[in-house]
Amino acid sequence: MKYLGIEPNKPRVAVFDFTSCEGCELQFANKEETLVDFLGSIEVVEFREISSDRSEDYDIAFIEGSVTRSDEIERLLKIRERAKVLVALGACACFGGVNRLKNAFDLNDANQEVYGDCPKETLPTRAIHEVVKVDLKIPGCPVCKDEVERIVQHLVWDIPFQFPAYPVCLECKQRYTVCVCDLDSKEAHSEKRGELCLGPITQGGCNAPCPAGGLGCWGCRGPAEDANVESFLTIAKERGFGKREIAERFEFFGGFEGLK
Ligand code: SF4
Ligand code: SF4
Ligand code: SF4
């Protein structure tokens, strides 16, 4: 039996970066306590951040980052041709991520602002699935190392992976975090209360680190299954959050584009 077209033993894995901060790749390479076991279940044939090895022969290609230059399109098409399974790794690859924010501006102005008199080629930001077929998307900014490891094991052992159907709110409650958008708890828990939080409509799986740190969720994992965006917007407006503030939150990682 095959899953996503690969045999269940030591797949040849390559990791590639496009326009990104390389933070998702770093998640692959860190967490020493599980790294040896993790790397023992796959054969890494190309991964610039940890090795100088190069290969054009791989089963699974993990793609970090979004597409913002013409040479990236060419490179991505070649990777797609070679890979049996192509995985979008992180918010940039899945949605365009923070790079997508530039699409709201005139690209020449954005170029001038960043590079001054030395402009660089820059195209409107695109997620990987907007350029080639993607077999699997692993969201997050950055991705969660635990989740990536579980997904890779599912690929190795040929078992379909199910992302959580529940939103971030559930994990937030599970770890006993006091809700950061609960206006009623304002006095008891300092000035941090009353935050806008996309937790009710964002896909779980990150274990809600942002609310635990006193911040609202910014939706880096994209919408939860059956997210009730309409109710969320109604409640957010009732609580005094403005249209612009909500729109900025929805646009930040690109996963909620078109839902506001
Ligand atoms: S998703 Fe976030 S951590 Fe990953 S490459 Fe993009 S900006 Fe960096
Ligand atoms: S802080 Fe956010 S994620 Fe946590 S319970 Fe409140 S709304 Fe949900
Ligand atoms: S709480 Fe929200 S913004 Fe923070 S990691 Fe989870 S999904 Fe991303």
Side-chain angles (χ1 to χ4, degrees):
M1 195 172 105
K2 290 182 174 181
Y3 176 55
L4 293 174
I6 60 161
E7 300 290 346
N9 50 24
K10 273 212 169 193
R12 292 169 63 80
V13 170
V15 182
F16 301 101
D17 43 70
F18 285 68
T19 301
S20 64
C21 78
E22 302 191 10
C24 287
E25 282 179 278
L26 201 58
Q27 289 292 82
F28 252 87
N30 70 12
K31 201 169 168 219
E32 288 78 6
E33 67 264 34
T34 55
L35 195 58
V36 173
D37 286 341
F38 177 55
L39 293 179
S41 62
I42 55 180
E43 187 184 350
V44 178
V45 297
E46 178 158 347
F47 187 171
R48 188 186 53 78
E49 215 171 65
I50 62 167
S51 163
S52 53
D53 289 351
R54 299 287 177 265
S55 175
E56 294 185 353
D57 177 17
Y58 36 82
D59 301 307
I60 306 174
F62 285 91
I63 308 291
E64 178 201 69
S66 50
V67 175
T68 66
R69 294 196 315 262
S70 52
D71 63 295
E72 290 184 322
I73 298 172
E74 267 174 58
R75 185 169 161 241
L76 185 56
L77 289 170
K78 280 189 187 136
I79 293 169
R80 177 66 274 188
E81 267 173 32
R82 292 173 189 142
K84 292 175 187 155
V85 178
L86 189 142
V87 182
L89 187 70
C92 292
C94 293
F95 317 124
V98 288
N99 305 325
R100 204 175 193 106
L101 290 172
K102 84 168 176 188
N103 292 1
F105 300 90
D106 178 282
L107 287 191
N108 291 327
D109 291 349
N111 213 332
Q112 169 78 30
E113 184 70 26
V114 177
Y115 297 109
D117 294 336
C118 305
K120 305 277 182 250
E121 188 213 345
T122 186
L123 301 173
T125 299
R126 280 186 282 174
I128 299 303
H129 71 89
E130 293 174 289
V131 181
V132 295
K133 178 175 166 275
V134 168
D135 300 304
L136 194 64
K137 293 179 187 170
I138 308 180
C141 181
V143 290
C144 301
K145 167 89 172 175
D146 293 346
E147 187 173 64
V148 173
E149 286 180 347
R150 281 200 303 280
I151 290 170
V152 170
Q153 291 310 314
H154 278 252
L155 290 171
V156 169
W157 294 104
D158 203 8
I159 302 165
F161 184 81
Q162 289 288 324
F163 285 96
Y166 48 78
V168 170
C169 267
L170 186 130
E171 292 170 332
C172 190
K173 298 293 184 197
Q174 276 176 335
R175 58 187 292 181
Y176 303 110
T177 300
V178 176
C179 184
V180 298
C181 68
D182 184 355
L183 294 171
D184 298 334
S185 60
K186 198 170 197 160
E187 284 181 21
H189 301 282
S190 85
E191 73 286 355
K192 287 289 184 195
R193 304 304 103 187
E195 293 255 345
L196 179 60
C197 180
L198 298 193
I201 52 171
T202 298
Q203 186 194 79
C206 60
N207 203 25
C210 302
L215 299 168
C217 170
W218 283 72
C220 77
R221 293 177 59 85
E225 208 176 300
D226 296 329
N228 192 338
V229 177
E230 212 177 307
S231 288
F232 175 83
L233 290 174
T234 304
I235 293 168
K237 281 173 195 160
E238 279 171 10
R239 293 204 163 198
F241 295 107
K243 224 175 159 180
R244 189 180 164 84
E245 189 176 1
I246 298 169
E248 279 176 356
R249 188 67 65 103
F250 270 47
E251 283 160 9
F252 197 75
F253 288 107
F256 288 83
E257 201 173 73
L259 289 181
K260 59 187 183 295

